[in-house]
Amino acid sequence: MIKKIGVLTSGGDAPGMNAAVRAVVRTALSKGMEVYGIRRGYVGLISGDIFQMDERSVSDIIHRGGTVLYTARCPEFRTEEGVEKARAKCEELGIEGLVVIGGDGSFRGAADLSAKGVLCVGIPGTIDNDIACTDYTIGFDTAMNTAMEMVDKLRDTSQSHDRCSVVEVMGRGAGHIAVNTGIACGATDIITKEVPYDIDKIAKVMLEKKSKGKQHFVVIVAEGIGHSQEIATMLQEKTHIETRATILGHVQRGGNPTLRDRVEATRMGYYAVELLEQGIGNRVVGIKDSKLVDYDIQEALQMSKPYDEKLHHIAEQIAF
Ligand code: ADP
Ligand code: F6P
């Protein structure tokens, strides 16, 4: 029976991480476990920035963005010595199990620590939704809703000026935020790495649409493409439609989590502690077809996530 567990958030923060922390803490306490909060991810695990949590430690956080445990990137944890220091810290404090809320990088670290005997369970927390073993990652819905609201605002000003607005959304190498935001905002074009694109063709189609009466345009560009300013400049040169580029940036990582993020974070937090309770580690929790699932970390890291090309093509087909 596992008696003491730790919980940390690692990598980029995501709205809903607090709801996951709360679920982990409250579930563990309800099962009679002791639970320790680790600040700033693997940085705090190595340095011992660790404190015991009780039911009140997670009061008033379910609705807050960011992470009350703070987060960090920890280059030292990529080394054998770093992982060994973390293992020794767990041993010193009697921490037998660890919930790691983060992305792929954080799970690689969790696999290394699991190999040294600390039971680690990963919960996918990233706005990018780029983790293959799960349909959903904590923060994705909130980030998309934030992006949608921002693009709606940009549309107002584009419409007033008969302009084209090129908007870059986050997602690291993945276009999941871009395609969904593009659909939700009725974008004229969506440019992601997953689907080949041609600027000349986009410009030509914009001009055709203009000739049929369309007066303003919204083009969503995934972060993985980069060059959104250059894309805006090229489109303006080729179409003579006044164009502005906006990079939405970190605003997409903040804000109160949506209902979906709070619910999924709570489900996954609960499930992660259930695994640890059974002495099961080296797993990543996920959601597949609305059901909670778990995979071996290495197996999870080798999976690849499909891009919703159908959604992309629907957007293209109905953007008159
Ligand atoms: P994310 O978890 O969101 O993918 P990062 O890739 O920045 O974010 O990873 C978060 C942290 O996980 C890193 O700072 C590092 O401490 C740890 N990590 C990342 N990659 C590895 C790896 N290959 N081996 C061990 N630890 C890793
Ligand atoms: O992984 C989340 C994310 O926001 C990506 O969309 C983006 O590429 C990256 O993190 C930005 O990282 P940083 O916070 O280090 O600028």
Side-chain angles (χ1 to χ4, degrees), residues 11-13 73 125-128 130 169-173 177 223 249-250 252-253:
D13 65 349
R73 298 201 163 95
T126 163
I127 64 164
D128 304 331
D130 60 350
V169 299
M170 275 189 169
R172 209 180 284 259
I177 295 179
E223 177 187 21
H250 288 81
Q252 295 161 98
R253 286 241 297 264

Side-chain angles (χ1 to χ4, degrees), residues 10-13 17 41-43 46 71-79 83 100-113 125-126 128 130-131 172 301:
S10 170
D13 65 349
M17 280 184 164
Y42 296 125
V43 173
I46 289 174
T71 186
R73 298 201 163 95
C74 177
E76 191 181 359
F77 201 71
R78 289 169 180 264
T79 65
V83 180
V100 173
I101 306 167
D104 276 349
S106 303
F107 298 159
R108 287 198 177 87
D112 293 346
L113 195 55
T126 163
D128 304 331
D130 60 350
I131 297 179
R172 209 180 284 259
L301 289 170

Side-chain angles (χ1 to χ4, degrees), residues 178-257:
V179 69
N180 283 281
T181 305
I183 282 265
C185 297
T188 326
D189 271 290
I190 301 167
I191 305 180
T192 67
K193 269 168 74 175
E194 290 88 343
V195 175
Y197 68 97
D198 174 350
I199 290 291
D200 287 323
K201 195 169 155 212
I202 292 173
K204 186 167 165 272
V205 173
M206 276 171 66
L207 286 173
E208 280 165 17
K209 287 173 182 163
K210 192 175 179 210
S211 72
K212 290 183 189 152
K214 191 169 174 68
Q215 288 169 319
H216 62 278
F217 300 82
V218 173
V219 177
I220 303 289
V221 180
E223 177 187 21
I225 295 280
H227 316 304
S228 40
Q229 179 59 61
E230 286 92 326
I231 289 174
T233 306
M234 282 191 281
L235 287 177
Q236 178 163 291
E237 278 169 10
K238 290 175 193 295
T239 61
H240 303 290
I241 297 167
E242 202 179 5
T243 302
R244 295 284 187 273
T246 305
I247 298 174
L248 291 186
H250 288 81
V251 68
Q252 295 161 98
R253 286 241 297 264
N256 297 346

